[in-house]
Amino acid sequence: MTTSTHNFKLSKLMTNLILSGALTSGLAYAAPQDEAVADDQLEVIEVKGFRGSINAALMSKREAVGTRETIIAEDIGKFPDLNVADSLSRVPGISIEEDAGEGRQITIRGLGSRYVKTTINGMESASAGAATDAAGGSNTSRAFDFNVFASELFTQIDINKTVSAELEDGGISGNVNLQTARPFQYDGFKGAYNVNARYSDVDEDVSPRASFMLSNNWDNKFGVLASIAYSDGTVQSEGSSTGRWTVNNPSFVEDGLPVGQGGSNYLTVAPKTLLMPNGNYTNENLDGLYLPRIPRYSLYSKQQKRLGATIAFQYAPTDDLSFNLDVLHASLDNDSEEYHYEVLLRDQKDIVPENIYVDANNTIVAGAYSNSIIRSETRRDSSESTFDQVSFTGNWFINDRFKMNFLIGQGKSDLDIPNMTTFALDSNQSTVAYSFDSNIDPLSLINNPGGQAIGSGELNTNMPSFAFAAGQPSGGNYSKDEIASVMTDPSNYTAGLVRNRSQTIESENKTIRVDFTYEINDEYTVKFGVGQRSFETEQHYNLNNWKDINKETNKTSGAIAEERVISLDAAQIDGSLFNTTLDKQGVSFGNNASIPGSSTLNSSTWLAPDYNAMYNAFAGANFFQAKEDFRRTYYIKEEVATAFVQLDFRNYIFDKELRGNVGVRYVDNKNTSRIVNLDHIYKDGFTAGRGDGANYAAGYGWRESVSEGDEWLPSLNLAYDITEDLVGRFSYSHAITRPKLSDLRSSISINTPSIDDPSATIKMGAGPSLKPYKAKQYDVGLEWYFAEESLLATSLFYKNISGLTKASSEQVLSQADLDRLGIDLGDTDPSTVTWQVSQLVNTDAEGMWGAEFIYQQPFTFLPEPFNALGLQTNYTYIDYTRDIEDPFYGTQLNLVEEETSKNTYNITLYYQVDDWSARFSYNYRSGYNKQYLDEYKDESTFVRGYDAKAKLNFSARYKLTDKMSVSFEAVNLTDEKQDMWNDIYTPRPYENLSSGRQFLVGLRGTF
C-alpha cells in the first residue's frame, strides 16, 4: 500500500469518494462512476487510527466549497465521548450545554442551541429529553437533545457552518448531519464490538457500556448492517445552590422611582421577602441588602439507561440504481432522585436577622436568622425519551449526466414523565446560618445573636457553609454535636409539601424530497429539487397545584393542593413518621463537592423525608391528585414546502481552480397553533366541561390560530486555490431559524393578585404569527495546507440577525376581557387592577461577528520517538451583543447574547505508533449569559449565566492483536465544577455542582 506524499492533491478516486458521500454524508449511496481509473493512477489514502481519521476529515474539509467540519467514525468511536454532543465539543466554534456532566445541546459560533439545524441521515429530526439536574426542565425548544444518542451509533458527523441552497433551511448558525453506518462502507462480512466498564468517583459506581455491529456486503449489490449500543449506570451531581438572590426593600413605594433615578425602589413590584428589624438592625440599614432566597445543599442522582439500535439495508440492482433503508431507535430512561436541605428565606416577611456580615456590594455574605423555615426535600422522577426514525432513500443515475435522489422518511420523538413527585419535611421557627465567607463560621453566627452591628465580610467561595438549629429559637449556644442532635431529631419536623406532577411531549415529523443533479459539462452542474416536510408536537402537563372550584359561582377557594398536607392533624404529619437520613438510605454526600469543614450538614446529619413512607401515607389523598393544567396544553403543526435551484461550477482563473455554488431556496411555511379554549375551563385552570365544553368528549375544544409566510433564501459559496496549498473561501447567504416551539403557542400565563402576591401579570404566547429569526451572513476564510496532514486556517464571519424580545405594557382590563381570559378577581373591582401584559415580538436585525483559527499537524519532522506526536488546536472568538432594557431601572444595557461565549478553544495532543496510541483533549469555554431573566420583579435579580469551564479528557489504546485492543479513557480529569451565577451587576452564586470524574476501561475489536 502506498501513501500520499503531497499535500492533499486529491486523486479522482478520493474526490469521487468525498463528493459521493463515502467520506461525507450524502442523501444516498452513489453508484460507481462511469469513468474508469487505472490502477497506476490511484492515490491510495490509508485511513487508520485516530491520525488517519483526522486526515480523512481534513481532506473532506479541503475539497468542500463552503466552511465544513467533519468527524469520521474512527474519531467518534475512539474519543472519550459519552454521547454525540461530547464528540462535537472539540469542533472549532462548537460549545456544549451540559446536563449532569454530559453534553446535552450544542451551540455553533456563539449562537444558542435553537439556531442549530440537526438532521439524521439527511432527514430533519427532533429530539426532546428531560433535564436530570438543576440546569432546567424538559426541552420545549427546537434545540436537539444529543444526549439521547450514543456516539457509537454514527460513523460520521458533518457540520456545515455556511449555507447553500441544497441544504435544509432552519440553521442560522449551522447544519449538523448525523450519519449512521451502512453496509456498503465495508467489504464482505464485518463485525465490531466495544465493551467498557465505567466508574464514576462521585457515586462510586461501576456500570457497563457496550456496542456491537454486524455487517455483510454482497459485492455492493446487497448489504445489511445492524448495530446496538447500550449503557447503564448512575451519575451523581452534588453541591449547593441559592435559588437566586432577593433584595430586602422595606422602603419600597408603590409607583415610586427606582434607586437609580433618585427613588427608594430596588424592585418594580412590592417585595415578597422582608427582614424584620432587630436590635441595631433597622429598616434603614437593612434596606438594599441582598440575601439568598433558598440557600441549600443539593444532591442529584440518576440511574440512566441508554439504548440505541440501527439497521440498514442497501440494494443496488444495477450500477446506476441504489436504494437505502435506514432504521434508527434510541431511548434514554432516567430514574432520578434529588435531595435538598435548605432554608426558605424567600416569600417570608417575618424572618429576624440575628447576626449578618455584608460585603462591598450590599450582599449578606454570611448571616444567622431566627423564625426561619428549614425544609428537607426528597424528589423522584421517572422519564423516558424515545426516538424512532425510518428513512428510505434512493439514487438513480438516469444517464451519464443526469441523476435523481429521493428521500421519504418519518420520525417520532416522545418524552414521557409519568411522575415528578416531591415530599418535604419542614422545621418551622428555626434558627439557621449560612456563610459564603470562608473566614466566618456559621455556628458562631448562631451562637452570637441579638442584632449586633453589621459586620464586614467578603464573598470568597461558591460553596457555603451551613449551621441549622432545627426548631430552635434564637439565643442558644451550640456545639457541632448539639446542632447535629437537633438537626436529626424528627420531633422538630412536620410534613410540609406533597407535590405530584407529570408531563408528556409527543412529536412527529415527516419528510419527502426529490432532488436532481444535471451535469451540463465538466465545469457546470445544475441541482434542483422540491420537498415537503411537516412537524407536529403536543404537550400535556399535570400537577397538583389546583385550588377548589365552585362550579356554580366559578370561583376558587382554599390553599393549593400541594400544601394542604400542613392542615392535617398533627399526629398525621409528625416528622417521626417519615424521617430518615442519607446515610441510612445508603446515599453519600460530599464525595466530590468541596464541603467546608465548618458545615454541620453531612450524610449522617442530613435528615430527609422517607419517600416510601410519605408516598404510602399521602398518595391516596385527594390533594395528591395531579390534574391537567389546561393553560399549558398546546398543539403545534408546521408544514413546510421547499424548492431550490443551485449551480455548481469549477473553473480556472489565472490557472487556479475556482469552485463554488450559487443558488436560491424557496420556503413556504404554514403554522397552526392550538390551545385549549379557556371558555370551556373553569377559572381554576384545571377543571374542564364549563359551558359548551360539556359537549366535547375531553370536556374542552381548541382555539386555533394559523399563520402563513414564505421566504427566499439566496446563497453563494466560493473556494479558490490561490496556490497549490492555499485555499481562499467566501460565502454569502440568507438564513432563517424558526422560534422555539413554546413561543409559537398562543397560550396565556396569568398571575392573579392576592394578599400573598399582589402582582398582576399576563404573559401571552406570541402564537404562530411570530416570524422566524432572519440573518444575512458573510464568511471569509483562508486555509494553508502547509505540510502533509497539516493545516493552518483562519476565517472571519459576520451575521446580521433579527431577534425576539418581550414587549410589556400596563393595561386595565374590563370584566369582559377578564372573562375571555378566564381570570377570576373575586369581589375586586377590575378598574382598580393594573395588569403588566407581556408578549414576544420580532425585533430589528443586529450584527455579530467572529473569527476562527485552526492549527493541526503531525510532528513527523521530530526525531524518534517524538515524531509520533501530533497536535490539533482551534480557537473561536465571538462578538455578539444586544441592547436589553433593564426591567428595574428602565435603562438600556448592552449585553452579550444568550448562550454566547466570547472565547472557546480546544487542544488535542496525540501520540500514535503501530501498537498503541494516547491523547489528551482540553476544551475551554469562557463564561456566558444563559438567560436574560426579567421575570423576578419582586427580587431585583436580572440575568443568569455560567462561569468559564475547562475540561481535560484522556484516552489511550493498546493493540493486543491486529483485531483486538484494550482501551482506557478518563473524562473530566481536572474535576471541573459547574458554577452558575445570577445578577448581571453583581454576579452572585446561583449553583455550584460537581459531577466528578469518569473512568472507562474497555475491550474493542473487529472480526
Side-chain angles (χ1 to χ4, degrees):
M1 175 174 288
T2 62
T3 303
S4 171
T5 59
H6 48 276
N7 306 340
F8 301 105
K9 297 186 182 74
L10 299 180
S11 67
K12 292 182 180 179
L13 173 62
M14 184 56 65
T15 301
N16 287 335
L17 284 172
I18 291 172
L19 294 178
S20 68
L23 283 180
T24 58
S25 57
L27 186 61
Y29 170 78
Q33 302 296 305
D34 62 334
E35 180 181 356
V37 182
D39 289 344
D40 58 0
Q41 293 179 303
L42 292 182
E43 173 189 333
V44 180
I45 307 294
E46 184 179 10
V47 179
K48 184 178 181 182
F50 174 75
R51 179 173 161 185
S53 67
I54 61 175
N55 191 16
L58 196 60
M59 287 186 288
S60 175
K61 180 181 180 68
R62 168 71 170 84
E63 184 64 17
V65 173
T67 302
R68 182 174 65 198
E69 310 290 344
T70 299
I71 307 176
I72 305 298
E74 180 88 359
D75 204 4
I76 299 173
K78 296 176 181 176
F79 225 79
D81 301 321
L82 298 177
N83 60 52
V84 177
D86 294 320
S87 298
L88 287 164
S89 65
R90 67 184 182 282
V91 172
I94 290 186
S95 300
I96 63 173
E97 293 280 342
E98 288 195 341
D99 176 22
E102 282 192 346
R104 182 181 182 185
Q105 298 169 352
I106 68 169
T107 68
I108 299 179
R109 286 183 163 177
L111 295 176
S113 52
R114 63 188 179 276
Y115 292 101
V116 180
K117 179 64 170 282
T118 302
T119 57
I120 297 179
N121 297 329
M123 177 180 164
E124 182 180 30
S125 302
S127 171
T132 50
D133 65 13
S138 304
N139 181 6
T140 59
S141 72
R142 294 181 188 275
F144 192 84
D145 279 348
F146 288 89
N147 60 340
V148 175
F149 303 95
S151 59
E152 295 91 339
L153 296 178
F154 304 99
T155 59
Q156 184 169 327
I157 304 175
D158 288 313
I159 305 99
N160 286 285
K161 299 177 185 176
T162 55
V163 174
S164 62
E166 65 182 326
L167 287 176
E168 288 275 24
D169 54 278
I172 286 179
S173 66
N175 290 55
V176 175
N177 183 67
L178 311 175
Q179 182 67 50
T180 57
R182 287 174 174 168
F184 285 2
Q185 292 175 264
Y186 309 100
D187 291 330
F189 177 78
K190 175 81 169 181
Y193 60 89
N194 187 0
V195 180
N196 292 271
R198 184 178 69 173
Y199 173 80
S200 169
D201 65 358
V202 175
D203 58 84
E204 300 177 328
D205 179 59
V206 177
S207 57
R209 181 182 178 95
S211 62
F212 302 91
M213 186 269 287
L214 289 174
S215 174
N216 204 7
N217 177 0
W218 288 270
D219 298 324
N220 282 352
K221 295 298 184 182
F222 180 72
V224 180
L225 181 147
S227 70
I228 187 169
Y230 176 81
S231 63
D232 183 358
T234 302
V235 177
Q236 183 169 306
S237 301
E238 58 182 21
S240 65
S241 59
T242 60
R244 304 185 302 275
W245 293 67
T246 187
V247 68
N248 187 58
N249 194 193
S251 60
F252 176 85
V253 177
E254 194 73 41
D255 299 324
L257 291 174
V259 291
Q261 299 175 16
S264 60
N265 289 359
Y266 289 89
L267 306 165
T268 56
V269 298
K272 294 182 182 179
T273 303
L274 283 176
L275 298 178
M276 299 286 289
N278 180 32
N280 290 323
Y281 300 157
T282 65
N283 280 337
E284 289 72 25
N285 60 28
L286 292 173
D287 192 45
L289 301 185
Y290 285 81
L291 64 153
R293 297 176 67 254
I294 314 175
R296 63 188 182 182
Y297 284 157
S298 300
L299 187 151
Y300 303 86
S301 178
K302 66 171 182 177
Q303 180 70 31
Q304 181 185 78
K305 295 181 181 179
R306 181 187 286 115
L307 174 67
T310 71
I311 186 167
F313 300 91
Q314 288 189 282
Y315 176 53
T318 71
D319 289 344
D320 299 324
L321 183 63
S322 63
F323 301 99
N324 312 280
L325 179 65
D326 295 292
V327 181
L328 169 64
H329 169 78
S331 64
L332 179 65
D333 296 346
N334 282 306
D335 291 316
S336 61
E337 294 184 353
E338 295 182 18
Y339 300 92
H340 306 281
Y341 197 93
E342 61 206 12
V343 53
L344 301 182
L345 300 178
R346 57 100 173 110
D347 300 346
Q348 308 295 326
K349 296 185 178 181
D350 52 1
I351 300 172
V352 180
E354 298 288 350
N355 193 348
I356 61 176
Y357 284 74
V358 178
D359 71 1
N361 296 310
N362 287 337
T363 305
I364 304 178
V365 297
Y369 306 87
S370 61
N371 201 32
S372 302
I373 301 173
I374 293 174
R375 171 165 288 180
S376 182
E377 297 182 33
T378 297
R379 171 175 168 172
R380 290 187 184 177
D381 291 5
S382 296
S383 68
E384 180 180 10
S385 302
T386 58
F387 179 93
D388 293 282
Q389 178 175 299
V390 179
S391 59
F392 180 56
T393 60
N395 192 334
W396 178 27
F397 286 83
I398 301 172
N399 58 41
D400 290 348
R401 295 185 177 273
F402 196 31
K403 183 177 71 172
M404 181 189 78
N405 300 323
F406 72 84
L407 183 151
I408 302 172
Q410 180 172 348
K412 286 195 67 178
S413 175
D414 294 337
L415 172 63
D416 183 19
I417 309 178
N419 64 278
M420 294 178 281
T421 306
T422 304
F423 296 115
L425 295 177
D426 289 353
S427 180
N428 299 310
Q429 297 180 336
S430 298
T431 301
V432 299
Y434 67 83
S435 177
F436 286 90
D437 187 327
S438 59
N439 299 311
I440 299 175
D441 186 334
L443 189 55
S444 69
L445 300 179
I446 286 182
N447 290 336
N448 293 279
Q452 304 301 313
I454 295 176
S456 177
E458 61 178 351
L459 201 164
N460 55 25
T461 179
N462 290 337
M463 181 63 67
S465 181
F466 288 106
F468 295 95
Q472 308 303 307
S474 65
N477 194 287
Y478 305 92
S479 67
K480 273 187 109 173
D481 289 341
E482 290 169 332
I483 283 285
S485 177
V486 297
M487 288 176 65
T488 55
D489 183 351
S491 66
N492 291 323
Y493 299 83
T494 58
L497 179 72
V498 174
R499 177 177 291 156
N500 185 28
R501 300 181 178 185
S502 62
Q503 182 184 17
T504 60
I505 300 176
E506 297 179 347
S507 303
E508 183 175 7
N509 58 293
K510 299 176 182 178
T511 298
I512 181 169
R513 188 168 75 239
V514 181
D515 297 341
F516 296 90
T517 301
Y518 179 67
E519 186 180 336
I520 301 173
N521 52 42
D522 290 343
E523 288 77 33
Y524 296 99
T525 299
V526 174
K527 297 178 180 179
F528 57 95
V530 294
Q532 174 76 39
R533 66 179 189 266
S534 65
F535 175 76
E536 299 177 75
T537 185
E538 184 170 337
Q539 172 181 274
H540 295 270
Y541 197 94
N542 306 283
L543 63 162
N544 65 332
N545 202 32
W546 44 266
K547 293 183 177 182
D548 288 332
I549 182 72
N550 185 320
K551 291 186 177 181
E552 292 185 2
T553 63
N554 196 19
K555 295 186 182 299
T556 60
S557 61
I560 59 175
E562 64 180 28
E563 296 178 355
R564 293 188 182 180
V565 65
I566 64 176
S567 63
L568 298 179
D569 291 339
Q572 294 178 271
I573 60 176
D574 187 275
S576 61
L577 301 174
F578 313 113
N579 72 293
T580 183
T581 59
L582 291 191
D583 61 350
K584 288 180 181 178
Q585 300 180 86
V587 177
S588 59
F589 176 77
N591 284 353
N592 211 60
S594 303
I595 306 302
S598 58
S599 184
T600 65
L601 186 62
N602 53 53
S603 296
S604 61
T605 62
W606 187 318
L607 183 139
D610 184 319
Y611 181 94
N612 293 329
M614 292 195 74
Y615 185 90
N616 292 334
F618 303 119
N622 177 60
F623 54 74
F624 188 77
Q625 180 186 0
K627 300 180 181 180
E628 181 167 5
D629 184 350
F630 295 108
R631 293 161 296 193
R632 302 192 191 199
T633 304
Y634 64 82
Y635 166 89
I636 295 170
K637 182 176 183 179
E638 290 181 343
E639 298 168 278
V640 182
T642 63
F644 81 92
V645 60
Q646 178 175 303
L647 176 67
D648 290 7
F649 52 87
R650 287 174 177 262
N651 285 311
Y652 282 84
I653 299 178
F654 305 116
D655 295 325
K656 301 298 181 183
E657 185 180 76
L658 173 70
R659 58 192 179 278
N661 58 64
V662 60
V664 64
R665 187 174 189 86
Y666 173 73
V667 180
D668 182 83
N669 195 86
K670 178 182 178 181
N671 292 334
T672 302
S673 171
R674 296 176 186 164
I675 63 170
V676 171
N677 187 340
L678 295 181
D679 290 341
H680 302 162
I681 308 301
Y682 289 91
K683 291 184 179 179
D684 64 340
F686 294 86
T687 306
R690 179 185 174 206
D692 292 340
N695 299 323
Y696 293 84
Y700 64 87
W702 297 90
R703 284 179 175 168
E704 182 176 288
S705 302
V706 179
S707 175
E708 298 185 62
D710 60 2
E711 303 286 345
W712 291 91
L713 306 174
S715 62
L716 170 67
N717 295 279
L718 300 173
Y720 181 61
D721 294 335
I722 301 171
T723 70
E724 200 171 85
D725 303 319
L726 192 63
V727 180
R729 301 187 187 277
F730 172 78
S731 297
Y732 168 75
S733 63
H734 289 201
I736 61 171
T737 289
R738 292 172 180 81
K740 70 178 185 179
L741 300 171
S742 55
D743 289 341
L744 289 175
R745 59 184 177 177
S746 305
S747 54
I748 300 170
S749 175
I750 299 168
N751 187 80
T752 304
S754 63
I755 295 176
D756 295 329
D757 183 3
S759 58
T761 61
I762 300 174
K763 301 175 185 176
M764 304 187 68
S769 61
L770 197 64
K771 297 184 181 299
Y773 300 92
K774 298 179 183 180
K776 293 180 182 179
Q777 39 198 33
Y778 304 82
D779 196 290
V780 179
L782 192 63
E783 299 167 3
W784 181 26
Y785 297 85
F786 61 91
E788 186 178 354
E789 306 175 38
S790 303
L791 171 65
L792 185 62
T794 184
S795 62
L796 297 174
F797 51 89
Y798 174 83
K799 300 175 187 285
N800 198 34
I801 308 172
S802 66
L804 300 176
T805 191
K806 187 179 293 183
S808 299
S809 62
E810 293 184 348
Q811 300 179 28
V812 176
L813 303 179
S814 67
Q815 186 61 53
D817 292 331
L818 296 176
D819 291 340
R820 178 176 56 84
L821 296 172
I823 298 175
D824 176 19
L825 285 180
D827 298 328
T828 302
D829 183 354
S831 64
T832 64
V833 179
T834 300
W835 296 86
Q836 190 77 22
V837 182
S838 61
Q839 184 174 22
L840 279 174
V841 296
N842 292 103
T843 61
D844 294 333
E846 296 187 56
M848 62 90 73
W849 71 275
E852 287 180 353
F853 303 91
I854 302 172
Y855 165 66
Q856 64 184 69
Q857 183 179 20
F859 298 151
T860 52
F861 55 86
L862 294 176
E864 292 186 358
F866 305 105
N867 60 341
L869 286 168
L871 186 67
Q872 269 189 307
T873 64
N874 60 75
Y875 167 74
T876 303
Y877 173 80
I878 306 292
D879 187 339
Y880 186 20
T881 59
R882 288 179 56 196
D883 289 331
I884 304 295
E885 181 178 304
D886 179 282
F888 303 103
Y889 306 125
T891 54
Q892 288 291 114
L893 300 177
N894 189 251
L895 301 180
V896 176
E897 171 65 314
E898 294 175 337
E899 299 185 351
T900 298
S901 292
K902 282 194 170 185
N903 299 282
T904 59
Y905 61 84
N906 307 295
I907 302 172
T908 298
L909 178 67
Y910 63 88
Y911 187 90
Q912 180 172 316
V913 292
D914 288 342
D915 293 333
W916 68 277
S917 63
R919 58 190 176 273
F920 285 95
S921 175
Y922 185 80
N923 307 101
Y924 173 83
R925 180 180 187 181
S926 63
Y928 61 97
N929 300 328
K930 174 61 178 175
Q931 264 185 313
Y932 304 145
L933 291 176
D934 62 353
E935 301 176 5
Y936 309 118
K937 303 180 187 303
D938 62 333
E939 297 173 14
S940 188
T941 54
F942 177 49
V943 187
R944 68 181 174 98
Y946 287 95
D947 286 343
K949 185 172 183 179
K951 201 170 186 178
L952 178 64
N953 297 336
F954 173 76
S955 177
R957 184 176 62 157
Y958 180 76
K959 184 189 295 185
L960 300 174
T961 69
D962 286 342
K963 294 188 176 182
M964 182 183 296
S965 61
V966 63
S967 63
F968 172 75
E969 298 171 1
V971 179
N972 193 23
L973 271 172
T974 53
D975 190 22
E976 289 293 319
K977 309 295 191 293
Q978 180 170 281
D979 285 313
M980 184 185 289
W981 51 265
N982 77 296
D983 194 345
I984 193 66
Y985 298 105
T986 304
R988 299 179 177 92
Y990 181 90
E991 174 185 278
N992 177 275
L993 287 179
S994 171
S995 298
R997 306 171 184 86
Q998 297 188 51
F999 304 93
L1000 294 88
V1001 177
L1003 189 68
R1004 64 180 68 183
T1006 60
F1007 54 89

